[in-house]
Amino acid sequence: MPPGIRDTSQTIQERIAATHVNSLDVDLDSMAAISNIFRVAVMFRNLSERRFLLKHNLTFSGFTVLWVLWVFGKMESYQLAEECGISKGTLTGIVSTLEKHGLIRRIRHPQDGRRKIVMATDRGETLMHRLFPKINRLEQEFVRGLEQTELSSLARMLRIILHSQDTP
């Protein structure tokens, strides 16, 4: 493709999916938008693991849990699971792994010993200070084909989708 010309054509996956569901009463643009958001997220997840995270014994899910604790501070397990978009059962395995590597720790809830509060350790905080700038450079790499106004519009449009899904 000549310099300055960007490919905005349908991906092969979009064309195949559209052909497959063509006889159904579906909105192809909605399907393409959501499936492409998913595909980009999976690509980012896999590349970030290969380039950076696995070297530190982190999966993307583990990174997400550590990032949430780094940014928002300590929280109860159920809140952490909710913020990370995972089940409490899935969180338990991730937390155990992160704890084994000394990146987070669990403490008893002061009012209810059955509940746990999860927090990043100093080691986890230090790792995030080193690792997050690398992840952000990868984020920049992923969106490099967009002009700044397009990037701002994309972020704004995704916020609209997120807010439209908030439950009161």
Side-chain angles (χ1 to χ4, degrees), residues 2-113:
I5 304 294
R6 297 179 298 167
D7 187 357
T8 60
S9 64
Q10 283 185 322
T11 64
I12 185 71
Q13 292 85 355
E14 284 177 88
R15 289 193 301 272
I16 292 169
T19 300
H20 188 74
V21 301
N22 197 31
S23 64
L24 304 174
D25 183 24
V26 296
D27 179 345
L28 294 178
D29 285 335
S30 296
M31 180 184 75
I34 298 302
S35 64
N36 285 333
I37 289 169
F38 177 78
R39 288 181 58 235
V40 168
V42 168
M43 289 170 64
F44 182 83
R45 175 187 192 116
N46 292 341
L47 188 56
S48 65
E49 284 183 346
R50 283 194 313 270
R51 279 199 193 170
F52 308 114
L53 300 178
L54 294 177
K55 296 172 190 171
H56 299 283
N57 298 308
L58 286 172
T59 61
F60 196 82
S61 295
F63 171 79
T64 301
V65 167
L66 188 56
W67 187 87
V68 167
L69 293 171
W70 180 56
V71 171
F72 297 104
K74 64 184 175 185
M75 59 180 62
E76 285 193 60
S77 296
Y78 80 91
Q79 294 169 310
L80 182 57
E82 187 176 292
E83 191 63 40
C84 294
I86 57 178
S87 71
K88 288 191 293 184
T90 299
L91 178 69
T92 299
I94 295 168
V95 166
S96 294
T97 300
L98 293 173
E99 196 170 40
K100 181 177 79 175
H101 293 294
L103 301 173
I104 65 170
R105 67 184 181 118
R106 291 180 260 209
I107 57 174
R108 288 182 192 259
H109 190 281
Q111 283 84 35
D112 185 347

Side-chain angles (χ1 to χ4, degrees), residues 113-145:
R114 296 170 296 171
R115 293 166 33 200
K116 298 291 182 194
I117 295 175
V118 185
M119 59 191 294
T121 62
D122 289 344
R123 183 175 179 183
E125 298 261 343
T126 299
L127 177 60
M128 289 304 292
H129 279 279
R130 287 192 352 252
L131 195 53
F132 187 70
K134 294 176 184 178
I135 296 293
N136 183 248
R137 283 192 287 280
L138 183 58
E139 292 170 333
Q140 292 171 358
E141 184 181 314
F142 260 65
V143 297
R144 73 178 176 269

